[in-house]
Amino acid sequence: MGGGEMDLTRFFQVLETHFPLSGVRSALANRIGSDVACALERAGLLSILRVADTYPCPQPGGEGCPRKIVETESGSCIAVCGNDPAECEEIRLTSKDAELLGVVPERLLEHLRSPLKIGGMVREIEGLAQAYQVGFFIPQPAIKHPIFFTAAASESQYAAMIDALRSRAEGASFAVIIPTDRFVSAEAVRQFRTVGVPI
């Protein structure tokens, strides 16, 4: 990403539990750090997805929360309380404030492929919303092993996802890239490795 080293731990932790990660600019900057958000946007890893539908409320409550983003006749945006009667003041937003920023998984995984020396193409795995094939590890010309990426919020979710990938692999070995190791124990890593699935 240029410049000095940047600690991306918080980004990968949030990405893991909120995949694919997105939010209005200010909320996303609060979650992953404003320096990291700016650097990821400059690097093309955070993209403007569209104008957001909602805007965070500092005192959330009621069915109409969070605030709804409404476009005015002049083209500007206002975040209005969705509760009746309104419990919060309206907030005038700049066009940047109203942008929904997010990680486009394919773009993130393309960036991961080069340093990991992974060949092939990134593609979604049909029926597994949080899994992608990142490409292949090709140790020799006639041998290639698929490499997958997945994100989950618990060890049991990871185990279920990896089991689903194993059933589709029909006994072939493959590797799995995950954002962090905080939800996967050393014992689980060892067990998956014994069945040909390095994590």
Side-chain angles (χ1 to χ4, degrees), residues 155 178 181-194 197 199:
E155 186 161 350
I178 59 177
D181 62 359
R182 65 188 170 146
F183 295 122
V184 181
S185 67
E187 177 60 20
V189 169
R190 188 193 65 72
Q191 287 175 351
F192 282 120
R193 187 175 290 129
T194 61
V197 183
I199 297 176

Side-chain angles (χ1 to χ4, degrees), residues 5 9 13 18 39 41 50 66 74 115 118-119 163 179 185 192:
E5 293 291 315
T9 303
Q13 288 175 342
H18 298 85
E41 190 173 4
R50 58 181 168 78
S74 66
I118 298 170
D163 283 343
S185 67
F192 282 120

Side-chain angles (χ1 to χ4, degrees), residues 151-182:
S154 70
E155 186 161 350
S156 62
Q157 287 178 352
Y158 272 124
M161 188 68 71
I162 292 168
D163 283 343
L165 291 170
R166 283 183 63 207
S167 71
R168 291 167 187 236
E170 299 175 349
S173 64
F174 60 89
V176 178
I177 299 170
I178 59 177
T180 77
D181 62 359
R182 65 188 170 146

Side-chain angles (χ1 to χ4, degrees), residues 23-103:
V24 294
R25 188 175 297 279
S26 62
L28 200 53
N30 284 339
R31 287 165 78 189
I32 65 174
S34 58
D35 290 348
V36 169
C38 288
L40 292 175
E41 190 173 4
R42 280 192 308 273
L45 294 175
L46 278 181
S47 304
I48 299 168
L49 304 175
R50 58 181 168 78
V51 172
D53 297 320
T54 61
Y55 195 80
C57 183
Q59 299 168 330
E63 282 183 33
C65 205
R67 293 180 172 107
K68 310 286 184 255
I69 295 179
V70 178
E71 196 168 338
T72 66
E73 290 177 11
S74 66
S76 63
C77 292
I78 299 173
V80 297
C81 183
N83 292 319
D84 188 18
E87 297 175 16
C88 305
E89 301 269 329
E90 292 181 353
I91 300 176
R92 292 206 174 277
L93 304 173
T94 67
S95 57
K96 279 195 160 304
D97 292 335
E99 290 171 347
L100 182 71
L101 287 180
V103 170

